[in-house]
Amino acid sequence: MSNFINGLYKNQALFYKIFLFILSAVLIVYLLPKGGKFKYDIPKNKPWQYENLYAPFDFAILKTEEEIQQERQEIKNSLIPYYEFNTEMVKRVKADALHEVQRTFSDSILDLAERPLNNFVEKTIDKIYKNGLLQESSRMGPEQLVYLRKGNEAYEVTYKKILKQGDIRSFLSNEIDQANIGFFKNELLEVFFNSVEPNVVFNNDLTQKELESKLNSISYTRGIIEQGSRVIAKGEVVDNDKYNILRSLKQEYESQVWSQDNYNWILVGYSTLVALALLMLLLFIRKYRWEIFENNVKVTFIFFNVIFMVMLTNLVVKFNIDYVYVVPLCILPLTLKAFFDARLGLFTHVITVLLLGFIVPNSYEYMFLQIIAGIVTILTVSELYKRANLFISVGQITLVYIISYFAFTIIQEGSITDVKGEVFLTFLLGGLATLFVQPLIYIYEKIFGMVSDMSLLELSDTNSKLLKELAEKAPGTFHHSLNVANLAEAAANEISANAMLVRVGALYHDIGKMQNTTYFTENQTTSVNSHDELSPRESAEIIIEHVIRGIEIAKKNNLPDRVIDFIRTHHGTSTVYYFLMKEKENSSEQVDPDDFRYPGPIPFSKETAILMMCDSVEAASKSLKEPTSTLIDEFVEKIINKQMEDGQFLNSNITFKEIQLVKKILKRKLKNIYHLRVEYPE
């Protein structure tokens, strides 16, 4: 039982990765659509490359979006609007008009012509309100039919037959003239103007209900393909009609209600493909990025980003498929490049795009655009901490999206008239969303405890609290660290290592010397040597201790682990050679070199190896009395060759060629420091 528990404890990192792998696969499969997947790509305006395709079941041919929009527009254009006719108002207006006759005309006129006047007024009002009086005058054409609703009944009339308020004066004048009572024209006009009111109004609610009813009755299909009918033959060109039929078959196939048996098989298929994709990612990390594979936090970070992008894309697709390109997928390679390297960022991006192919329509087009955009991201974005670089790169990414989409549309439609301008807007929005990568990297640093180039830039500021303290307490060490930083940065640039990281590591590698500062040669300002009162063994312990002290100070000041690695490894497992030799001279007994050896570990990256070389060379160069070009060449070769013989670079993944390049840079820089010229023969 104890052996089993010990085995679990020893392999807990492996078990965690297995758990993370299974959990990621389950989450991604859960997010994927659970319908069947149509197994054919539909190439528009190209020959059908597959075998003859026959309908596996009856399905309706879907109308295109353009056809549906056209039908909707035709319904809107042919819609007969509803107008409401107020019958009660007619009775009231007639009574008011008769009352106005009594008020307007004198008694003498009324005694002679009251009855004819009343009859004229009543007949004229009946004519005015035969189809109603409308206040508006320019809603539609004169021959347009409208529904005039009186009570619960409605009948059709042409719009011109409804009298408009703007035409009432000419209508009344004409009626008065025809009745041969023009001598009462002004009085009669006053009667009508004081009593007549519009009684017809546009009924917007009823019109909209009628419109919605007709729009809802639109059929989204046109015709049916029966089971067993040939849909398309091999080699036949996929024209517009065939494309719509194939699209209809695909949509019907993927939206079918599957039985429990089919559903389970679909889950098995999805699980297998997702597991394969994630396994490839895990194996890539294990084979080419072993230091990342060993770190569970970093592996978790990578898988989290993949799941996050799948989840975000799934949400956008469910909300509105037209906005799928708003999802800033290029944030993924940008983020991974900021924390790790370009190769891992691109590989993870490609795996994620392959998984998203299950979610989005037109998966080939989508994957092509996203992979190309990811490659452009990796190639164009350098020094992410520089804002100008990020803006330029985002512009290039957006441009590549637009060009690729434009080309795909031309291939599919055969013309540029079908290019949708709104899609370009989604590319622009996606590009703007990519700018969120900088605050996102900051959030990731706080959550996962990792470090990016932007944090390294902040740490490289010599006015930071810790470096100012180093400059005050150990000015010689601070000056040494600056020299080492300059040498290491130049060497890192020469072999394409992370120059920013190695510079920061060099600035902080000796912060442990802030304690017992006078025991280190560069900080001794007098002729008195603090080591004179100590034995070589005690002196060696103090010198070795600066590594441990440096790690403690770094952790206390929350320096990232990647920076602390430089403090741990800058002496590797080398010995304090001076005091070892001194102890051998003073002791008659056998001296164990391990008592004078730094605890290590040895450098495990190119950057930490560069720092070890630069630190040793810069420190030892102070002992050169009369440096010459030849002396410096031999001096650099001797120090670095000794480190190689001691096996200090075995774990650092640095090649002999790169070590030679570092040597060349150090020789050149030291000659510049000592202002040496080429030695001419006498």
Side-chain angles (χ1 to χ4, degrees), residues 41 404 465 494 567 599 633:
D41 286 326
S404 301
K465 178 184 174 183
E494 185 69 19
I567 302 173
D633 288 349

Short mmCIF file of all heavy atoms in Angstrom, two decimals, residues 41 404 465 494 567 599 633:
data_model
loop_
_atom_site.label_atom_id
_atom_site.label_comp_id
_atom_site.label_asym_id
_atom_site.label_seq_id
_atom_site.Cartn_x
_atom_site.Cartn_y
_atom_site.Cartn_z
N ASP A 41 -17.21 18.92 -48.42
CA ASP A 41 -17.09 20.36 -48.62
C ASP A 41 -17.85 20.73 -49.89
O ASP A 41 -17.86 19.95 -50.85
CB ASP A 41 -15.62 20.77 -48.76
CG ASP A 41 -14.90 20.73 -47.43
OD1 ASP A 41 -15.53 21.02 -46.42
OD2 ASP A 41 -13.70 20.37 -47.42
N SER A 404 -7.75 37.96 -47.79
CA SER A 404 -8.10 36.53 -47.89
C SER A 404 -9.60 36.35 -48.12
O SER A 404 -10.02 35.56 -48.97
CB SER A 404 -7.66 35.79 -46.63
OG SER A 404 -6.28 35.91 -46.42
N LYS A 465 13.23 49.95 -7.10
CA LYS A 465 13.61 49.97 -5.68
C LYS A 465 14.79 49.05 -5.38
O LYS A 465 15.76 49.44 -4.71
CB LYS A 465 12.39 49.56 -4.84
CG LYS A 465 12.65 49.50 -3.35
CD LYS A 465 11.44 48.99 -2.61
CE LYS A 465 11.76 48.80 -1.13
NZ LYS A 465 10.61 48.23 -0.38
N GLU A 494 23.18 38.08 -30.66
CA GLU A 494 23.99 37.40 -31.68
C GLU A 494 23.48 36.00 -31.97
O GLU A 494 23.53 35.54 -33.11
CB GLU A 494 25.45 37.35 -31.21
CG GLU A 494 26.43 36.80 -32.23
CD GLU A 494 26.62 37.72 -33.42
OE1 GLU A 494 26.29 38.93 -33.30
OE2 GLU A 494 27.09 37.24 -34.47
N ILE A 567 19.86 33.87 -10.85
CA ILE A 567 20.59 33.93 -9.57
C ILE A 567 21.05 32.54 -9.17
O ILE A 567 22.18 32.35 -8.71
CB ILE A 567 19.68 34.55 -8.47
CG1 ILE A 567 19.21 35.95 -8.90
CG2 ILE A 567 20.41 34.61 -7.14
CD1 ILE A 567 18.19 36.57 -7.98
N PRO A 599 26.13 25.51 -5.00
CA PRO A 599 25.10 24.46 -4.94
C PRO A 599 24.43 24.17 -6.29
O PRO A 599 23.78 23.13 -6.45
CB PRO A 599 24.08 25.02 -3.95
CG PRO A 599 24.25 26.51 -4.02
CD PRO A 599 25.72 26.72 -4.28
N ASP A 633 41.84 37.50 -26.17
CA ASP A 633 41.35 36.32 -26.90
C ASP A 633 41.65 35.05 -26.13
O ASP A 633 40.78 34.18 -25.94
CB ASP A 633 41.99 36.25 -28.28
CG ASP A 633 41.47 37.32 -29.23
OD1 ASP A 633 40.46 37.97 -28.86
OD2 ASP A 633 42.05 37.51 -30.31
#
